[in-house]
Amino acid sequence: MDPAVTGEQTTTQRVRRRASRAAGPAKTESSKAATAQVEVPTQPKRPSKPVQTLKRVKPPPRRRPHRALVVWTSFAAALLAVGALAGCLAALLVQQRHAEAEQARDQRFVDTATQTVVNMFSYKQDNIDDSVNRFYNGTSGPLRGMLGANNNIENLKGLFRSTNATSEAVVNGAALEGIDSVTDNASVLVSVRVTVADIDGTNKPSMPYRLRVVVHEDAQGRMTGYDLKYPDGGN
């Protein structure tokens, strides 16, 4: 082969290569097709929901109370309170009345005992009959039986007249010992001082006596001297 021809062909080939390639990176139709973007159908976007702002939740409104029911309930409670208070006051009043009644009864026992002793030791020459009869009418039971037996009442009147004296009894003290609820008898201790004056009015030395007087209360509430005893052997 001729070297000149060969060189010419080579030059021609080189030229052709240069003419077929553009400056810069070679881009062909096949590369363009390879680099073509394929559009893939996308799902339709859902419309975005509006962002809800958190609101402060208010408590539910209070139920309005039933005014009539509230009024009646309050009224009933007030009535119950007043009733309870009235019951307590009534109970206290009843207890107070019972206590006062018992105290008054105890005092009546003591008063009856002291009056029995005063009637027994007190007399004057101008009223001996009245004095002895008063003493006798205020007795009951064994004491009344003893005074009514063997004409003792008349004998006692004659004895008082024969002394030509007067006698006065002063009670120094009295105390309730106890009450028998079965027999309604009460025992009362009485301390008395008796002063006797002769016909000339001269007082003899007074004599102290201590007696236990048994007082009886009958069904009608009347109290009388039931019995007399001298504790510790006498005066």
Side-chain angles (χ1 to χ4, degrees), residues 123 125 128 154-164:
Y123 63 90
Q125 289 296 317
I128 289 178
E154 296 301 325
N155 294 333
L156 184 59
K157 292 178 181 178
L159 177 62
F160 286 166
R161 289 191 182 97
S162 63
T163 60
N164 290 324

Side-chain angles (χ1 to χ4, degrees), residues 156-193:
L156 184 59
K157 292 178 181 178
L159 177 62
F160 286 166
R161 289 191 182 97
S162 63
T163 60
N164 290 324
T166 59
S167 177
E168 182 181 7
V170 177
V171 175
N172 296 327
L176 179 66
E177 284 189 311
I179 302 174
D180 188 345
S181 59
V182 177
T183 61
D184 289 330
N185 289 344
S187 177
V188 182
L189 286 176
V190 180
S191 175
V192 63
R193 184 172 290 274

Side-chain angles (χ1 to χ4, degrees), residues 63-146:
R63 292 184 61 186
R64 298 184 63 181
H66 198 289
R67 293 186 177 180
L69 180 61
V70 172
V71 170
W72 279 109
T73 304
S74 301
F75 183 69
L79 284 180
L80 290 176
V82 172
L85 181 59
C88 293
L89 291 177
L92 290 176
L93 289 176
V94 171
Q95 291 179 358
Q96 183 178 2
R97 288 179 180 177
H98 286 171
E100 291 176 353
E102 290 180 359
Q103 185 176 4
R105 183 171 181 250
D106 294 347
Q107 188 60 45
R108 288 180 59 213
F109 278 119
V110 174
D111 293 343
T112 302
T114 56
Q115 189 62 49
T116 299
V117 173
V118 169
N119 292 342
M120 183 175 63
F121 286 108
S122 298
Y123 63 90
K124 294 181 179 179
Q125 289 296 317
D126 57 354
N127 66 351
I128 289 178
D129 289 341
D130 292 338
S131 298
V132 174
N133 290 337
R134 187 183 305 111
F135 171 55
Y136 177 73
N137 292 333
T139 61
S140 63
L143 181 58
R144 187 178 183 85
M146 183 269 294

